[in-house]
Amino acid sequence: MTNYKYLLLAVFLPIAGFAQNTISGDIVLPNALPICNVLVELIDQNDQVLRQDFSEEDGTFELTNIPDGTDYTLRFFKEGPYLNGTSTFDLVLIARMVLGIDPPTTYALWAGDVNGSGTLTTLDMVLIRKLILQIDTTFPSSPWGFDEADAPGCDNLIEIPSLTESLSVSVVGVKRGDINNSTSMICQ
């Protein structure tokens, strides 16, 4: 019987030595409406996917049993039609920003930068127009962009240095090409 005690101790000792944390959060559009069906992946330092979850209908996600003391990255991805929410009205809004008539907001820059250059230019307008006219079916960048609310740009990644406790993150997402947040959200 004594041998079993040591065997159980040896099996559970490594688990007891590491704190297990949770990373949770919500994913919303700039107008605070939730975004569902976003794949959230937890990536370790070796680029391995450790945990995955899809955001719920209310935009929430939760990744559990995460060891602390390590650097992680959250990666976000959402599929869907590129044309969803993209219209000629979005082109008018971008043109006003490019011409300096209206100041660009952070989220308009995220949504309007369909070529992934980090800036809003007439090239983005050309690419959106080609999509509307069905000359192209995609943008050079992914259909959705995600990041923390105060991030200067969106690269679909959030760095978490040396996780030591459970945390909650607020994520904002934009549908590329949709400046006025008119995309329709279908949750299944």
Side-chain angles (χ1 to χ4, degrees), residues 32-103:
L33 292 175
I35 305 174
C36 59
N37 298 328
V38 177
L39 175 62
V40 182
E41 296 180 322
L42 182 70
I43 312 296
D44 69 8
Q45 296 168 325
N46 298 320
D47 233 12
Q48 299 296 315
V49 176
L50 299 180
R51 306 281 185 281
Q52 292 180 324
D53 191 21
F54 281 93
S55 61
E56 301 292 331
E57 194 168 326
D58 63 357
T60 60
F61 68 91
E62 182 176 72
L63 304 167
T64 59
N65 298 320
I66 305 167
D68 64 0
T70 303
D71 295 343
Y72 294 106
T73 301
L74 290 175
R75 181 169 54 195
F76 303 89
F77 182 75
K78 180 169 176 62
E79 292 185 23
Y82 280 81
L83 199 51
N84 184 8
T86 303
S87 68
T88 54
F89 183 61
D90 296 301
L91 283 175
V92 170
L93 294 174
I94 293 173
R96 293 179 59 87
M97 287 181 253
V98 169
L99 293 171
I101 298 169
D102 294 330

